[in-house]
Amino acid sequence: MTVPNAEQSADFRGPLDVTRAATLVVDAQDTVIGWSPAAERLLAYQPQDIVGRPLATFLSPGPTPSVLPLPFQGNEIRIARHRDGRELIVAIAMCPLPGTGTAARVLVATELQDLRLWESRLALLHGLATQSPLGLAIYDTELRLTWCNAMYEREMGRPFAEFRGLRADQLYFEGKFVTTGHPPTLDEVMHHVLDTGEPFLDLHFQGRPPSDPETDHVWSCAYYRLQDADGHVIGVCEDAFDISDRYKAQQRLALLVEAGRGIGTALDVTVTAEKLTEVAVPEFAETVTVDLARAVLEGEVPTAGGSAAMSLVRVARCPSEEADQETRAGRPGQQPPPPPPVNAVSAVSAVSDSLVEYPAGSPQYRSLSSGGLVLDGTALVVPLRAGNSTLGLVTFMRGTGSATFDSGEVALADELAARTAVSIDNARRFTRERTASLALQRQLLPQHVPEQSAVDLAYRYLPSDDMTGVGGDWFDVIPLSGTRVGLVVGDVVGHGLQAAATMGRLRTTVRAFAQMDLDPVELLSRLDDLVAQSVEEQRGEQGMSDGTYADVTTGATCLYAVYDPVSRRCVMARAGHLPPAVVDPDGRLSFPLLPAGPPLGIGGLPFESLEIELPVGSLLALFTDGLVEARDRDIDHGLEILGQVLSDRNASLEALCDRAVAELLPGGGAADDTALLLVRTRELDSSQVTEWELPAERVAAGRARDLATRQLHHWGLEELSFATELVVSELVTNAVRYAEGPIQVRLIRDRTLLCEVADRGHTSPHLRHSGEEDEGGRGLFIVAQLVQRWGTRYTRSGKTIWTEQALPAM
């Protein structure tokens, strides 16, 4: 069966249509000669009761004045009497009865209220057809256009008669759906509606209509099936409303939201620039480049304002040059947008260290010169500004044939550039601060620990503040006289720059005290006094804005140990710090029972030392609590894990450091600053050390010269004999004259030649310049000229004067 089309099936008949209204026929004398069933329903007269009777029986003879005009000329308003006696106001239409050759007429009547209802419906349909802002179209079951309203005509840009009967795929201009969740083409959408009856609502179609071929428009479209009163499918109706402005506003808002999520999430200048290009392509532009002043990349502030002579570096481009080449090869005939005009060198690569040079007159050149935004066709250049400084330029490019940037898009580009500029400036500031922090760290911590005769060593330093790269923990390895070595590890309360600055002061102080050859107890006592004094002085100064003082010195901890490779003895003391771990050559782990002592600056309790013997090859581990303590693990468990790692005697020190960090700080993240120092002890061979004990007699100096000369000859160091004789003679003479015996003389052949003279005295020798007439006082001055270094260290039994001489070149 052929389904009637929409024009045939649509019921646009009015209430005065003869097929539905009350119809009667009268002759020339106004006698009723015909009576329809509809007339019977309207007035309740049976045909046999009314046929042959005059029209005036039930209808007033003349028209009744109407309050409202009738829509069609020739219609009249009359009073009709119902069979039950009540009166009805009816509308009458009269016309001659064709083909009878008589004056007979046909009267068509309906109640006035039905006519008025139809009039309102007719006005509504007329409004939809002529005044609706929605484009309305009706397609038949073959998807051919059968009707449209005036708005649809205006969108098509030509009269309806020129495209009536065309199929949907023939009718529509080039475009595409920008929504998902439905068939991809218009033809498939309409067929789906016809076949299933399922409507599609708010489908967004984008294209350029014939009425405005230069601008992209977006319509919100709805498609639903039409059926007649009997349920037969007669076609598909399309509603289309132009939402271009709303769609663009939504797209801009979505772009800003995406920019807020992506731009500024990393404190890195290049990453921030790359995020901007990723956000803007392809939704906003086809190509985006970001060029920054070289000073910005170095963390510095460019000169105020800006000029065409600024040195800019290309830091981000999307898509890359390689992607552009693939696009050009994959889409013959369709050229990608041209890159911004730059010199030949910097156009080769998407991101390069080369300076970008813009030719005079280019949009970028004009933007740098004026310091403002420049719109040139499909190119939009926006400066990146922070305060009074221009950080760089962002260039948005669209391809040939694309729409130019409208005022709303220009404002959006300006907003994107402003957000990016703020984030880049923050990243620049961070770069500057981090550079300064890393420089501070390099100054505060040992970057290269020289080889030691006493120990082999390895270390790790992991600050918890990844941003600045510095913290409050520290370690140090200090060469001491007599081939001894000082080992230090400490922990300052807090993190970041303030803790690092305090750590630097403490490390410098410890190093200075260690060079004085103070024993561990004396060193920590002096350090504690200094910290307490410093805290009192700083509390008297102006504090923070709330009147408090951020004290990170009080409560600092420290462990100091001195190892002597000659005696294999290690003396250590600690100020509130964790004890070291010791692993003997057989792999047995122990934590020496070293008295804790109070943290630095607390005062009130003395420090105590512990002296232990370390066999050759023993492993000594000094560390801070950040290594072994965590939120989900107590210190005891951490110490157990560390002991298991250190007990591997076959692993190198570097491997043990890596394993300890991996086991105790998985992922490399530390909640607290961490320092780890591993040393493996050595012993000087007996052939490298010789020692004599001499009585405190005048002949002791000559005896010491002879013994030293013979030993130097034995070692093959005859070149040092003259200087060594003078040194030994002067030091032994001073010991005999000013101290008590016995006197110990020791020579050590290591990386240098060490000469030590020990006595029972506690007075310290002083270097002085003697006058021309003085008989003495020149000996120590002569010694100082002959050696590289000299000094004094005190022991419980007295003091030791030591010197160092460089070995002759081999």
Side-chain angles (χ1 to χ4, degrees), residues 277-305:
T277 63
E278 294 171 3
V279 166
V281 176
E283 286 79 5
F284 186 71
E286 294 187 24
T287 302
V288 178
T289 61
V290 179
D291 304 323
L292 296 178
R294 185 178 292 278
V296 174
L297 301 178
E298 297 170 353
E300 301 301 325
V301 182
T303 56

Side-chain angles (χ1 to χ4, degrees), residues 604-647:
L605 294 174
F607 297 101
E608 300 181 50
S609 64
L610 175 68
E611 183 173 353
I612 59 176
E613 181 176 349
L614 296 177
V616 178
S618 296
L619 178 63
L620 186 64
L622 289 75
F623 49 89
T624 58
D625 57 1
L627 179 67
V628 294
E629 186 177 23
R631 294 186 181 93
D632 58 347
R633 182 188 64 225
D634 59 26
I635 290 182
D636 291 338
H637 187 202
L639 293 175
E640 180 182 352
I641 296 175
L642 178 62
Q644 293 172 357
V645 172
L646 299 180
S647 298

Side-chain angles (χ1 to χ4, degrees), residues 40-160:
E40 181 181 347
R41 288 193 297 272
L42 178 63
L43 299 176
Y45 292 103
Q46 298 292 326
Q48 61 272 20
D49 296 333
I50 201 66
V51 172
R53 300 182 66 179
L55 183 61
T57 303
F58 58 88
L59 192 65
S60 62
T64 300
S66 176
V67 177
L68 296 174
L70 293 177
F72 302 109
Q73 186 176 3
N75 294 346
E76 297 178 356
I77 302 288
R78 295 195 184 186
I79 301 298
R81 287 186 295 275
H82 194 272
R83 184 174 182 177
D84 60 9
R86 56 191 174 88
E87 293 183 347
L88 301 176
I89 301 176
V90 296
I92 299 294
M94 291 180 289
C95 62
L97 185 63
T100 62
T102 66
R105 294 168 295 163
V106 176
L107 279 71
V108 181
T110 187
E111 284 196 79
L112 183 60
Q113 59 183 10
D114 292 339
L115 180 63
R116 295 306 183 195
L117 177 61
W118 181 77
E119 288 177 11
S120 64
R121 293 175 177 174
L122 186 62
L124 177 62
L125 292 175
H126 183 265
L128 287 174
T130 60
Q131 303 171 23
S132 173
L134 276 71
L136 299 174
I138 296 178
Y139 298 84
D140 63 16
T141 54
E142 295 180 357
L143 299 185
R144 296 185 182 276
L145 184 66
T146 60
W147 177 86
C148 72
N149 68 350
M151 175 57 72
Y152 195 92
E153 272 188 297
R154 286 195 294 271
E155 294 285 1
M156 298 304 299
R158 49 182 173 154
F160 172 60

Side-chain angles (χ1 to χ4, degrees), residues 541-585:
E541 299 175 358
Q542 183 178 0
M544 296 188 296
S545 58
D546 59 357
T548 62
Y549 173 74
D551 175 26
V552 297
T553 307
T554 300
T557 64
C558 182
L559 168 64
Y560 180 59
V562 177
Y563 174 69
D564 187 345
V566 177
S567 64
R568 303 192 311 276
R569 307 292 294 179
C570 181
V571 183
M572 62 187 74
R574 60 182 176 132
H577 203 83
L578 291 173
V582 178
V583 181
D584 66 19

Side-chain angles (χ1 to χ4, degrees), residues 35 191 222 232 249 359 463 497 761:
W35 190 259
H191 273 295
H232 298 141
L497 285 175

Side-chain angles (χ1 to χ4, degrees), residues 433-445 447 468 470:
E433 297 300 326
R434 179 171 173 79
T435 301
S437 299
L438 293 178
L440 176 64
Q441 179 188 15
R442 285 191 293 269
Q443 296 297 322
L444 297 181
L445 290 175
Q447 299 302 303
T468 60
V470 296

Side-chain angles (χ1 to χ4, degrees), residues 372-559:
L373 181 148
V374 174
L375 176 60
D376 187 354
T378 56
L380 176 60
V381 181
V382 186
L384 295 168
R385 298 186 60 83
N388 296 325
S389 301
T390 298
L391 306 180
L393 294 178
V394 182
T395 302
F396 302 94
M397 297 287 295
R398 288 180 176 174
T400 304
S402 299
T404 58
F405 295 94
D406 59 29
S407 59
E409 291 171 327
V410 170
L412 174 60
D414 198 28
E415 176 65 19
L416 288 175
R419 294 190 180 192
T420 303
V422 171
S423 299
I424 287 178
D425 191 50
N426 289 337
R428 177 196 63 79
R429 294 171 186 269
F430 170 74
T431 300
R432 182 181 62 186
E433 297 300 326
R434 179 171 173 79
T435 301
S437 299
L438 293 178
L440 176 64
Q441 179 188 15
R442 285 191 293 269
Q443 296 297 322
L444 297 181
L445 290 175
Q447 299 302 303
H448 173 69
V449 179
E451 292 186 8
Q452 304 289 328
S453 300
V455 293
D456 294 319
L457 58 90
Y459 54 87
R460 294 293 183 270
Y461 178 74
L462 300 173
S464 62
D465 190 343
D466 294 332
M467 296 299 182
T468 60
V470 296
D473 290 8
W474 88 93
F475 69 92
D476 209 347
V477 179
I478 307 171
L480 300 177
S481 63
T483 68
R484 297 170 306 136
V485 61
L487 307 173
V488 189
V489 65
D491 185 357
V492 172
V493 178
H495 314 289
L497 285 175
Q498 189 172 16
T502 302
M503 173 269 288
R505 299 203 313 269
L506 294 180
R507 176 178 178 266
T508 302
T509 303
V510 170
R511 198 170 185 88
F513 286 160
Q515 296 293 344
M516 296 171 62
D517 276 315
L518 300 179
D519 67 75
V521 169
E522 181 68 17
L523 184 145
L524 290 181
S525 297
R526 293 196 182 189
L527 185 63
D528 179 65
D529 292 340
L530 189 64
V531 168
Q533 179 182 356
S534 176
V535 169
E536 290 299 325
E537 292 175 352
Q538 293 174 7
R539 282 176 178 166
E541 299 175 358
Q542 183 178 0
M544 296 188 296
S545 58
D546 59 357
T548 62
Y549 173 74
D551 175 26
V552 297
T553 307
T554 300
T557 64
C558 182
L559 168 64

